[in-house]
C-alpha cells in the first residue's frame, strides 16, 4: 500500500522494513516531545540534542520517529512543525525497536520498527494534508487506544490511592485551561507548567497537569466546556496536600482532541445538555472551595531555604507546602484602593478581567444570572531573619478576617484609620502555613527573588500567632494568601 502524490510514492507505515532503500513516508503528527539534551559520551564537555514525534497514516498504524544531532539542527527541526501538521520524511533509517525498553518512555505503537532521522541524509518537510491525502486529517480525531479502554474521572476518584503511579487512559471534557507558567531551573534550563481542569458525567472537577511545551500549546487550543479529549497513557497520582487524585501528561501520552467515537459523542451530549441547563458553573465554583489538610503540613522553612529549594528544583516542582516563622513587613492598605480590591465572579469567585469586568470561566451563563463583587487582593511581604518574600497575596474572605472588616466597611474607613489598621498587623511574629505554586524563576542582578517579574509564586498564610501586640493577646487572626482557585482557611 502506498500514498501517491504526483510521480512520487510514499511507503505505508505498515509496509516499512529495514531492507527498504531510500523510503519516503507521510503522516500526520499525533504526538511530539520537547527538545532535550544529554552529555555526549564521545565528546566530553559537549551535549547531544534530541526530540521525538509520532506520525500516523491510517486508522490502525502509527510509528515513533526520533532525531539526534546538533542543537541548531534539532531545535530548527522541532520548531518547523506541531501536533496536527502533516509531514513527509525522506530517507529515514528504519530500525527495529526494543519494545520493552523504548515503550517505557515513548508511545506504544503497533509497528515493530522506529524511524531515525539523520541531519545529513534525512529530510522532513511540512505539507498540506489537502495537497497529499485528505484522509490524514480525520486521523487526528481517532484515539490510538481502544475508545472503550478508559477510566471515567469518577472511577479514578473512587479507586483513589490504589491507582497512584498507574498509567492509564482518560476520556473527559475540558472545564478550564490555566495560563502557562514559565520558569528557569537551577541549571539554567527553561521550564513551563499548565494545569487543566477536566470533568465528565461522574466527576465535577479533575486536574491534569502539562509540563512540556508541546502539550501546553495543544491545551491552549482547547475551548472550555466545548472540547473533549481522549488522553492515552497519562500518569495518575495522589496529591496528598490537595487531598485529591491528579493526572500528568508524560512522554508516553498522546492526546486526541474531540475524538470521533461513540463514547465521546455521549460526553458531547452531556456538555451540551449541561450548558443549556446552566449547570456548568457548578464545577468551577467547587474549585474555589478546595481545602488542604493542615495536619499534613509539618515542614518548617526559612525564607532563604525556601528560595534555595525553588532554585534547586528540576523545573517540575509540585506545589510546595510548609511553615515559616516570620512576620508581615509590607501591608500597603492605606494607598490607592485599586491596589487593595479586585472584582470576582459571584458564581465561581475567580478574579475577572478589569477591562471587560466579565468572567471567562462562566461564559455559558447568561449575563443576567451572574454578577461581580469587590474582594480583597492585597500584596504583602513576608520576612524572617534570613530574608523577605515579596508580593505575596492576601486575598478574599480570609483577608476580611485578617483586617477585621468587610470590603464595604473598609471603603468607609478614613485614611488615618487604614494606616492605624495597617500598623496593628505589621511586624507581628507569625506562624505561616504557606503554599507555593512555582511558575517562573529567573536570576536578577542581586539575587533570586519571588513574585517579581521573573518569578511568580502564591503563598497561603493560614494562621497568625499573637506575640508582641496586646491587640492579639485574646484572639487568633487568620491569613490567607490564596490563588485564583484555592481558598484555604483555618480557624481556632
Amino acid at each position: 500500500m502506498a500514498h501517491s502524490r504526483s510521480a512520487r510514492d510514499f511507503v505505508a507505515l505498515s509496509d516499512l522494513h529495514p531492507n527498504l532503500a531510500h523510503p519516503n513516508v507521510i503522516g500526520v503528527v499525533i504526538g511530539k516531545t520537547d527538545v532535550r539534551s544529554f552529555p555526549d559520551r564521545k565528546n566530553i564537555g559537549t551535549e547531544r540534542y534530541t526530540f521525538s514525534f509520532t506520525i500516523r497514516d491510517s486508522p490502525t498504524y502509527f510509528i515513533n520517529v526520533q532525531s539526534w544531532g546538533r542543537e541548531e539542527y534539532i531545535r530548527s527541526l522541532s520548531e518547523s512543525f506541531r501536533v496536527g501538521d502533516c509531514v513527509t520524511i525522506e530517507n529515514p533509517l528504519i530500525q527495529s525497536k526494543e519494545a520493552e525498553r523504548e515503550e517505557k518512555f515513548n508511545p506504544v505503537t503497533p509497528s515493530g520498527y522506529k524511524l531515525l532521522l539523520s541531519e545529513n541524509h534525512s529530510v522532513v518537510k511540512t505539507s498540506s494534508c489537502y495537497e497529499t491525502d485528505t484522509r490524514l486529517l480525520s486521523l487526528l480525531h481517532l484515539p490510538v487506544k481502544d475508545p472503550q479502554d478508559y477510566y471515567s474521572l469518577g472511577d479514578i476518584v473512587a479507586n483513589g490511592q490504589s491507582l497512584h503511579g498507574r498509567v492509564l487512559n482518560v476520556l473527559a471534557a475540558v472545564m478550564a485551561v490555566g495560563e502557562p507558567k514559565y520558569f528557569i531551573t537551577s541549571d539554567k534550563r527553561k521550564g513551563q507548567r499548565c494545569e487543566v481542569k477536566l470533568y465528565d458525567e461522574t466527576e465535577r472537577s479533575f486536574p491534569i497537569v502539562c509540563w512540556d511545551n508541546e502539550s501546553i500549546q495543544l491545551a491552549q487550543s482547547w475551548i472550555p466546556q466545548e472540547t473533549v479529549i481522549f488522553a492515552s497513557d497519562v500518569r495518575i497520582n495522589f496529591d496528598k496536600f490537595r487531598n485529591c487524585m491528579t493526572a500528568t501528561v508524560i512522554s508516553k501520552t498522546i492526546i486526541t482532541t474531540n475524538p470521533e467515537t461513540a463514547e465521546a459523542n455521549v460526553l458531547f451530549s452531556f456538555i451540551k445538555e449541561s450548558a443549556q441547563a446552566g449547570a456548568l458553573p457548578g464545577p468551577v465554583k467547587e474549585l474555589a472551595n478546595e481545602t488542604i489538610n493542615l495536619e499534613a503540613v509539618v515542614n518548617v522553612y526559612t525564607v532563604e531555604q525556601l528560595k534555595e529549594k525553588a532554585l534547586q528544583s528540576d523545573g517540575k516542582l509540585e506545589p510546595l507546602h510548609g511553615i515559616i516563622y516570620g512576620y508581615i513587613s509590607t501591608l500597603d492598605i492605606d494607598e490607592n484602593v485599586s491596589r487593595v480590591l479586585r472584582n470576582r465572579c459571584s458564581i465561581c469567585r475567580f478574579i475577572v478581567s478589569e477591562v471587560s469586568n466579565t468572567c471567562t470561566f462562566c461564559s455559558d451563563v447568561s449575563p443576567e444570572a451572574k454578577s461581580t463583587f469587590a474582594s480583597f487582593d492585597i500584596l504583602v511581604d513576608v520576612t524572617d531573619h534570613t530574608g523577605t518574600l515579596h508580593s505575596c497575596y492576601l486575598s478574599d474572605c480570609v483577608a476580611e478576617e485578617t483586617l477585621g472588616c468587610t470590603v464595604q466597611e473598609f471603603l468607609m474607613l478614613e485614611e488615618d484609620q487604614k494606616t492605624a489598621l495597617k500598623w496593628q498587623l505589621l511586624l507581628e511574629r507569625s506562624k505561616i502555613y504557606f503554599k507555593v505554586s512555582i511558575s517562573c524563576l529567573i536570576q536578577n542582578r542581586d539575587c533570586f527573588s519571588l513574585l517579581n517579574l521573573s518569578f511568580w509564586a502564591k503563598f497561603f498564610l493560614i494562621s497568625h500567632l499573637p506575640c508582641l501586640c496586646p491587640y492579639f493577646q485574646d484572639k487568633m487572626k487568620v491569613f490567607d494568601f490564596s490563588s485564583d482557585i484555592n481558598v484555604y482557611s483555618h480557624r481556632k
Side-chain angles (χ1 to χ4, degrees), residues 171-220:
L171 175 68
V174 176
M175 169 59 70
V177 180
E179 290 292 328
K181 312 302 179 184
Y182 300 96
F183 51 85
I184 295 180
T185 65
S186 58
D187 58 356
K188 305 300 185 294
R189 298 177 187 270
K190 295 181 180 180
Q192 57 281 313
R193 182 183 190 274
C194 176
E195 182 166 304
V196 176
K197 293 294 184 179
L198 304 177
Y199 71 109
D200 63 10
E201 305 98 320
T202 65
E203 187 65 25
R204 298 165 63 86
S205 173
F206 189 92
I208 182 170
V209 181
C210 305
W211 289 104
D212 64 289
N213 187 55
E214 295 297 331
S215 63
I216 289 176
Q217 288 197 13
L218 180 62
Q220 295 304 305

Side-chain angles (χ1 to χ4, degrees), residues 81-122:
F81 61 89
R82 298 292 181 192
V83 171
D85 288 343
C86 183
V87 297
T88 60
I89 304 176
E90 301 175 10
N91 198 31
L93 175 64
I94 305 170
Q95 188 177 85
S96 297
K97 69 178 182 182
E98 299 177 32
E100 183 176 351
R101 181 175 66 87
E102 295 182 16
E103 291 181 350
K104 184 177 181 180
F105 302 104
N106 297 294
V108 177
T109 68
S111 175
Y113 305 105
K114 63 180 179 180
L115 302 182
L116 299 180
L117 303 183
S118 165
E119 180 177 1
N120 297 323
H121 302 97
S122 305

Side-chain angles (χ1 to χ4, degrees), residues 203-365:
E203 187 65 25
R204 298 165 63 86
S205 173
F206 189 92
I208 182 170
V209 181
C210 305
W211 289 104
D212 64 289
N213 187 55
E214 295 297 331
S215 63
I216 289 176
Q217 288 197 13
L218 180 62
Q220 295 304 305
S221 69
W222 297 338
I223 302 176
Q225 303 175 7
E226 293 185 18
T227 300
V228 170
I229 64 170
F230 186 101
S232 67
D233 291 333
V234 294
R235 176 172 286 119
I236 303 299
N237 291 299
F238 176 74
D239 187 328
K240 66 177 182 179
F241 287 109
R242 286 196 284 183
N243 195 34
C244 68
M245 302 302 293
T246 65
T248 302
V249 176
I250 58 177
S251 58
K252 287 173 59 71
T253 305
I254 291 182
I255 299 178
T256 303
T257 303
N258 292 333
E260 296 178 351
T261 65
E263 294 75 17
N265 288 338
V266 172
L267 192 51
F268 277 119
S269 296
F270 169 74
I271 293 176
K272 184 177 180 180
E273 293 170 0
S274 298
Q276 292 174 345
L280 287 180
V284 180
K285 185 174 182 180
E286 190 174 83
L287 303 185
N289 298 321
E290 293 180 345
T291 59
I292 183 173
N293 178 14
L294 292 182
E295 294 181 357
V297 181
V298 295
N299 295 327
V300 178
Y301 298 90
T302 64
V303 169
E304 183 179 43
Q305 289 172 336
L306 184 59
K307 293 179 180 180
E308 290 177 353
K309 187 174 182 65
L311 296 177
Q312 293 169 0
S313 73
D314 62 357
K316 296 187 177 181
L317 186 62
E318 292 291 340
L320 175 66
H321 301 72
I323 299 169
I324 291 179
Y325 290 94
Y327 55 89
I328 305 301
S329 54
T330 299
L331 181 64
D332 295 328
I333 58 174
D334 52 352
E335 295 188 357
N336 192 318
V337 70
S338 64
R339 302 182 60 181
V340 180
L341 302 177
R342 296 185 68 181
N343 287 336
R344 291 180 181 267
C345 175
S346 59
I347 296 177
C348 67
R349 301 186 74 87
F350 277 58
I351 292 178
V352 301
S353 168
E354 295 181 3
V355 177
S356 64
N357 199 38
T358 58
C359 179
T360 58
F361 291 96
C362 299
S363 57
D364 285 332
V365 182

